[in-house]
Coordinates of all heavy atoms in Angstrom, one line a residue:
Y1 N 176.9 95.8 112.3 CA 177.9 96.8 112.7 C 177.2 97.9 113.6 O 176.0 98.1 113.4 CB 178.4 97.6 111.5 CG 179.2 96.7 110.5 CD1 178.7 96.1 109.4 CD2 180.6 96.5 110.8 CE1 179.5 95.3 108.6 CE2 181.4 95.8 110.0 CZ 180.8 95.1 108.9 OH 181.6 94.4 108.0
S2 N 177.9 98.4 114.5 CA 177.4 99.5 115.3 C 177.3 100.7 114.4 O 178.1 100.9 113.4 CB 178.3 99.8 116.5 OG 179.5 100.3 116.1
D3 N 176.4 101.6 114.7 CA 176.3 102.8 113.9 C 177.5 103.7 113.8 O 177.8 104.3 112.8 CB 175.1 103.7 114.4 CG 173.7 103.0 114.2 OD1 173.7 102.1 113.3 OD2 172.8 103.4 114.9
S4 N 178.3 103.6 114.9 CA 179.5 104.5 115.0 C 180.6 104.0 114.1 O 181.5 104.8 113.8 CB 180.0 104.5 116.4 OG 180.4 103.2 116.9
V5 N 180.6 102.7 113.6 CA 181.7 102.2 112.8 C 181.2 101.9 111.4 O 182.0 101.5 110.5 CB 182.4 101.0 113.4 CG1 182.8 101.4 114.8 CG2 181.6 99.8 113.4
K6 N 179.9 101.8 111.2 CA 179.3 101.4 109.9 C 179.9 102.3 108.8 O 180.0 103.5 108.8 CB 177.8 101.6 109.9 CG 177.1 100.8 108.8 CD 175.6 100.8 109.1 CE 175.2 100.1 110.3 NZ 173.7 100.1 110.5
G7 N 180.4 101.6 107.7 CA 181.0 102.3 106.6 C 182.5 102.5 106.7 O 183.2 102.9 105.7
R8 N 183.0 102.3 107.9 CA 184.5 102.5 108.2 C 185.2 101.2 108.5 O 186.3 101.0 108.2 CB 184.7 103.5 109.3 CG 184.1 104.9 109.1 CD 184.6 105.9 110.1 NE 184.1 105.5 111.5 CZ 184.9 105.3 112.5 NH1 186.2 105.4 112.4 NH2 184.3 105.0 113.7
F9 N 184.5 100.3 109.2 CA 185.1 99.0 109.7 C 184.4 97.9 108.9 O 183.2 97.9 108.5 CB 184.7 98.8 111.1 CG 185.5 99.7 112.1 CD1 186.2 100.8 111.7 CD2 185.5 99.4 113.5 CE1 186.9 101.7 112.6 CE2 186.2 100.2 114.4 CZ 186.8 101.4 113.9
T10 N 185.2 96.8 108.7 CA 184.7 95.6 108.0 C 185.2 94.4 108.7 O 186.4 94.2 109.0 CB 185.2 95.6 106.5 OG1 184.8 96.8 105.8 CG2 184.7 94.4 105.8
I11 N 184.2 93.6 109.1 CA 184.6 92.3 109.7 C 184.6 91.2 108.6 O 183.8 91.2 107.7 CB 183.5 91.9 110.8 CG1 183.9 90.6 111.6 CG2 182.1 91.8 110.2 CD1 183.1 90.4 112.8
S12 N 185.6 90.3 108.8 CA 185.7 89.2 107.8 C 186.3 88.0 108.4 O 186.8 88.1 109.5 CB 186.5 89.7 106.6 OG 187.9 90.0 106.9
R13 N 186.3 86.9 107.7 CA 186.9 85.7 108.2 C 187.6 85.0 107.1 O 187.2 85.0 105.9 CB 185.7 84.8 108.6 CG 186.0 83.4 109.0 CD 184.8 82.5 108.8 NE 184.4 82.4 107.4 CZ 183.4 81.7 107.0 NH1 182.7 81.0 107.8 NH2 183.1 81.7 105.7
D14 N 188.8 84.4 107.4 CA 189.5 83.6 106.5 C 189.5 82.1 107.0 O 190.1 81.8 108.0 CB 191.0 84.1 106.5 CG 191.8 83.3 105.4 OD1 191.6 82.1 105.2 OD2 192.8 83.9 104.9
S15 N 188.7 81.3 106.3 CA 188.5 79.9 106.8 C 189.8 79.1 106.7 O 190.0 78.3 107.5 CB 187.4 79.3 105.9 OG 186.1 79.9 106.1
A16 N 190.6 79.4 105.7 CA 191.8 78.6 105.5 C 192.8 78.8 106.7 O 193.5 78.0 107.2 CB 192.5 79.0 104.2
K17 N 192.8 80.1 107.2 CA 193.6 80.4 108.4 C 192.9 80.4 109.7 O 193.5 80.6 110.8 CB 194.2 81.8 108.2 CG 195.1 82.0 107.0 CD 195.7 83.4 106.9 CE 196.6 83.5 105.7 NZ 197.2 84.8 105.5
N18 N 191.6 80.1 109.6 CA 190.8 80.0 110.9 C 190.9 81.3 111.7 O 191.1 81.3 112.9 CB 191.2 78.8 111.7 CG 189.9 78.1 112.2 OD1 189.0 77.8 111.5 ND2 189.9 77.8 113.5
T19 N 190.9 82.4 111.0 CA 191.1 83.7 111.6 C 190.0 84.7 111.3 O 189.6 84.7 110.2 CB 192.5 84.3 111.1 OG1 193.5 83.3 111.5 CG2 192.8 85.6 111.7
L20 N 189.7 85.5 112.3 CA 188.7 86.6 112.1 C 189.5 87.9 112.0 O 190.5 88.1 112.7 CB 187.8 86.6 113.4 CG 186.8 87.7 113.5 CD1 185.6 87.4 112.5 CD2 186.2 87.7 114.9
Y21 N 189.0 88.8 111.2 CA 189.7 90.1 111.0 C 188.7 91.3 111.3 O 187.5 91.1 111.1 CB 190.2 90.3 109.6 CG 191.2 89.2 109.2 CD1 190.9 88.1 108.4 CD2 192.5 89.3 109.7 CE1 191.8 87.2 108.1 CE2 193.5 88.4 109.3 CZ 193.2 87.3 108.6 OH 194.1 86.4 108.2
L22 N 189.3 92.4 111.6 CA 188.5 93.7 111.7 C 189.3 94.7 111.0 O 190.4 95.1 111.5 CB 188.2 94.1 113.1 CG 187.3 95.3 113.2 CD1 185.9 95.1 112.7 CD2 187.3 95.8 114.6
Q23 N 189.0 95.1 109.8 CA 189.6 96.2 109.0 C 189.0 97.5 109.5 O 187.8 97.7 109.3 CB 189.5 95.9 107.5 CG 190.1 97.1 106.7 CD 191.6 97.1 106.8 OE1 192.3 96.0 106.8 NE2 192.2 98.3 107.0
M24 N 189.9 98.4 110.0 CA 189.4 99.6 110.5 C 190.0 100.8 109.7 O 191.3 100.9 109.7 CB 189.8 99.8 112.0 CG 189.3 98.6 112.9 SD 189.6 98.9 114.6 CE 191.4 98.9 114.6
N25 N 189.2 101.5 109.0 CA 189.6 102.7 108.2 C 189.1 104.0 108.8 O 188.1 104.0 109.6 CB 189.2 102.5 106.7 CG 189.7 101.2 106.1 OD1 190.9 100.8 106.4 ND2 189.0 100.6 105.2
S26 N 189.7 105.1 108.3 CA 189.2 106.4 108.8 C 189.1 106.5 110.3 O 188.0 106.9 110.8 CB 187.9 106.7 108.1 OG 188.0 106.7 106.7
L27 N 190.1 106.0 110.9 CA 190.0 105.9 112.4 C 189.9 107.3 113.0 O 190.5 108.3 112.6 CB 191.2 105.2 112.9 CG 191.1 103.7 112.8 CD1 192.5 103.0 112.9 CD2 190.2 103.1 113.8
K28 N 189.2 107.3 114.1 CA 188.9 108.6 114.9 C 189.4 108.4 116.3 O 189.5 107.3 116.8 CB 187.4 108.9 114.9 CG 186.8 109.0 113.6 CD 185.3 109.1 113.7 CE 184.6 109.2 112.4 NZ 183.1 109.4 112.5
P29 N 189.7 109.5 117.0 CA 190.2 109.3 118.4 C 189.2 108.6 119.3 O 189.6 107.8 120.2 CB 190.3 110.8 118.9 CG 190.7 111.6 117.6 CD 189.8 110.9 116.6
E30 N 187.9 108.7 119.0 CA 186.9 108.0 119.8 C 186.9 106.5 119.5 O 186.1 105.7 120.2 CB 185.5 108.6 119.6 CG 185.1 108.7 118.1 CD 185.4 110.1 117.6 OE1 186.4 110.7 117.9 OE2 184.4 110.6 116.8
D31 N 187.6 106.0 118.6 CA 187.8 104.6 118.4 C 188.8 103.9 119.3 O 189.0 102.7 119.3 CB 188.2 104.3 116.9 CG 187.1 104.7 115.9 OD1 186.0 104.4 116.1 OD2 187.5 105.2 114.8
T32 N 189.5 104.8 120.1 CA 190.5 104.3 121.0 C 189.9 103.4 122.1 O 188.8 103.6 122.6 CB 191.2 105.5 121.7 OG1 191.9 106.2 120.7 CG2 192.1 105.0 122.8
G33 N 190.6 102.3 122.4 CA 190.2 101.3 123.4 C 190.8 100.0 123.2 O 191.6 99.8 122.3
V34 N 190.5 99.1 124.1 CA 190.9 97.7 124.0 C 189.9 96.9 123.2 O 188.7 97.0 123.5 CB 191.2 97.1 125.3 CG1 191.6 95.6 125.2 CG2 192.1 97.9 126.2
Y35 N 190.3 96.3 122.1 CA 189.4 95.6 121.3 C 189.5 94.0 121.6 O 190.6 93.5 121.6 CB 189.8 95.8 119.8 CG 189.3 97.2 119.3 CD1 189.9 98.3 119.8 CD2 188.3 97.3 118.4 CE1 189.4 99.6 119.4 CE2 187.8 98.5 117.9 CZ 188.4 99.6 118.4 OH 187.9 100.9 118.0
F36 N 188.3 93.4 121.7 CA 188.2 92.0 122.0 C 187.5 91.3 120.9 O 186.5 91.8 120.4 CB 187.4 91.9 123.3 CG 188.0 92.5 124.5 CD1 187.8 93.8 124.8 CD2 188.9 91.8 125.3 CE1 188.3 94.4 126.0 CE2 189.5 92.3 126.5 CZ 189.2 93.6 126.8
C37 N 187.9 90.1 120.6 CA 187.2 89.2 119.7 C 186.4 88.2 120.5 O 186.9 87.9 121.7 CB 188.0 88.5 118.6 SG 189.5 87.7 119.3

């Protein structure tokens, strides 16, 4: 994790759905942007 998101964001994977996730909590204005996997 980057230092700026450590403790707030969690990356995970669901093998059954073949899907990657990014759970983002305690969001801040500086988290604004286009997110790419």
Side-chain angles (χ1 to χ4, degrees):
Y1 294 93
S2 70
D3 289 341
S4 62
V5 308
K6 198 173 296 183
R8 300 188 296 122
F9 291 11
T10 302
I11 186 172
S12 63
R13 173 206 62 179
D14 185 328
S15 293
K17 296 182 178 179
N18 226 47
T19 299
L20 179 69
Y21 299 102
L22 184 69
Q23 177 66 44
M24 306 186 295
N25 299 328
S26 302
L27 283 161
K28 305 175 181 180
E30 51 263 44
D31 294 318
T32 294
V34 179
Y35 282 68
F36 299 88
C37 52

